[in-house]
Amino acid sequence: MVLKNFIVLEGIDGAGTSTQIKRLVQSDPSKYIATAEPTSGPTGKFLRQMLAGDFKVDERTNAYLFAADRCEHIFGKGGVQELCQSGKTVVSDRYFFSSLAYQSVSCGLELPQLLNSPFPLPEYLFFFEIDPEISLARVNNRKGAKEIYENIEAQKKIAALYEKVISMYENDAALRQEMKIIRIDASQTIEQISNQICSSLQRKE
């Protein structure tokens, strides 16, 4: 099932998804609502502490927690489904495609696929492609502590898994009729990427 008016931006750390979501919302605040995963809810806050390295959990527990946070994000009161059905366009910084890439590094693809199978597909998926060396350099230029996945070995593995996951959906003929996947060269300038996203969404209208 595809959830209309739901847009997702995906990519490895430092790919630039957060920047583009801010620009899109600023272009029409009355239309677009920004959201992100992990969420700002209780489970999301717990996950952000884990990502910061405050404590460790088993990777299978990690997969379950992300799925639980996502369930509230989509189906909870005031969540994505409710907003989209009311006519708003929700733009999310990451969705279950991230779980299929990130959690698969250590616990395999089967469990993340199973846990995320009940969630609807977005109408648009923008996949930001970038060399992990470039994206990690961006991360290193930021202020603040790095997260547990923000190292070159992890990012290379995650980038490869992202490619596998996105290609899996691209190669599904039935899904191609429902969910539009747009690959973004994330090494371009911020303005070039914004223009590509806006152009793709204008064709929707």
Side-chain angles (χ1 to χ4, degrees), residues 110 158 173 189 198:
E110 185 177 355
I158 293 163
T189 66
C198 289

Side-chain angles (χ1 to χ4, degrees), residues 19-38:
T19 297
Q20 292 302 325
I21 286 178
K22 288 177 184 176
R23 288 175 67 91
L24 186 58
V25 172
Q26 287 169 356
S27 72
D28 192 348
S30 65
K31 177 179 180 180
Y32 295 109
I33 295 177
T35 186
E37 294 188 358

Side-chain angles (χ1 to χ4, degrees), residues 34-103:
T35 186
E37 294 188 358
T39 69
S40 58
T43 308
K45 289 177 181 177
F46 182 88
L47 282 166
R48 289 186 186 280
Q49 288 181 298
M50 182 274 297
L51 290 170
D54 293 351
F55 52 82
K56 291 183 179 181
V57 298
D58 186 272
E59 283 298 328
R60 291 165 294 186
T61 303
N62 194 9
Y64 278 101
L65 287 169
F66 269 99
D69 187 49
R70 184 164 298 123
C71 189
E72 192 64 19
H73 181 215
I74 299 298
F75 301 123
K77 183 173 176 56
V80 172
Q81 180 173 261
E82 184 179 319
L83 289 168
C84 290
Q85 290 175 348
S86 73
K88 295 291 186 180
T89 298
V90 180
V91 190
S92 181
D93 192 354
R94 298 206 171 146
Y95 188 39
F96 68 71
F97 307 97
S98 288
S99 283
L100 299 184
Y102 279 75
Q103 271 80 68

